[in-house]
Amino acid sequence: MIDGHFPLAPRYRLDDEQPWLRGIDPSRRYWLWINGEQNCCTTVPGLSPSSFAEFKETVLRFRALEPGETLELSRIVDAPEIHCISSNCYAIATRYQEAPVWHLFDRESLESLLMTAHPDWQCSPKDVALGREWMEQMFLHSVAA
């Protein structure tokens, strides 16, 4: 246990009572509140295809996933894998404060997130600030190293 945190990620659904999606920045990083707690925010790299054909192919491959199969999302760096746990349960593994966390999603929620990789999608103005925040964190992290 690190700093008293033991993050367990429930299965995120679009109709959750607790808000879990803080936003999606311009680089298609999903900003999630772990367990709906607004003091535990993390990012999950999303799909970032180089073309519409690649976007379409990835969505179709996602829809065809069977339990036990994985799908690597295209990104220049930090390419995450989607793990199909069951017919309506998918996981993306990340780390939070050096601890491994599996974010679980139902099919509808994860497909909705993947749709933000469509070339015509634009993030909301408030989510542009999330992209700036990510860049600042990376700059501070690289200076500290």
Side-chain angles (χ1 to χ4, degrees), residues 44-65:
V44 174
L47 176 61
S48 186
S50 59
S51 67
F52 179 75
E54 185 180 347
F55 163 76
K56 183 178 175 182
E57 177 187 337
T58 303
V59 171
L60 292 174
R61 287 177 52 215
F62 168 72
R63 290 176 178 168
L65 279 178

Side-chain angles (χ1 to χ4, degrees), residues 1-90:
M1 191 156 42
I2 298 171
D3 296 328
H5 292 284
F6 183 69
L8 296 175
R11 187 168 69 174
Y12 300 118
R13 299 181 332 256
L14 292 178
D15 61 351
D16 277 338
E17 291 179 26
Q18 290 278 35
W20 53 270
L21 182 62
R22 179 177 173 194
I24 303 169
D25 70 27
S27 68
R28 276 47 173 206
R29 280 191 182 280
Y30 315 136
W31 291 66
L32 307 177
W33 285 308
I34 298 174
N35 294 328
E37 293 183 31
Q38 294 188 7
N39 61 342
C40 297
C41 187
T42 191
T43 60
V44 174
L47 176 61
S48 186
S50 59
S51 67
F52 179 75
E54 185 180 347
F55 163 76
K56 183 178 175 182
E57 177 187 337
T58 303
V59 171
L60 292 174
R61 287 177 52 215
F62 168 72
R63 290 176 178 168
L65 279 178
E66 294 290 330
E69 294 180 340
T70 61
L71 171 63
E72 185 172 326
L73 298 182
S74 62
R75 286 192 73 86
I76 294 173
V77 293
D78 295 334
E81 284 187 338
I82 295 174
H83 301 266
C84 181
I85 307 300
S86 68
S87 63
N88 194 27
C89 185
Y90 301 85

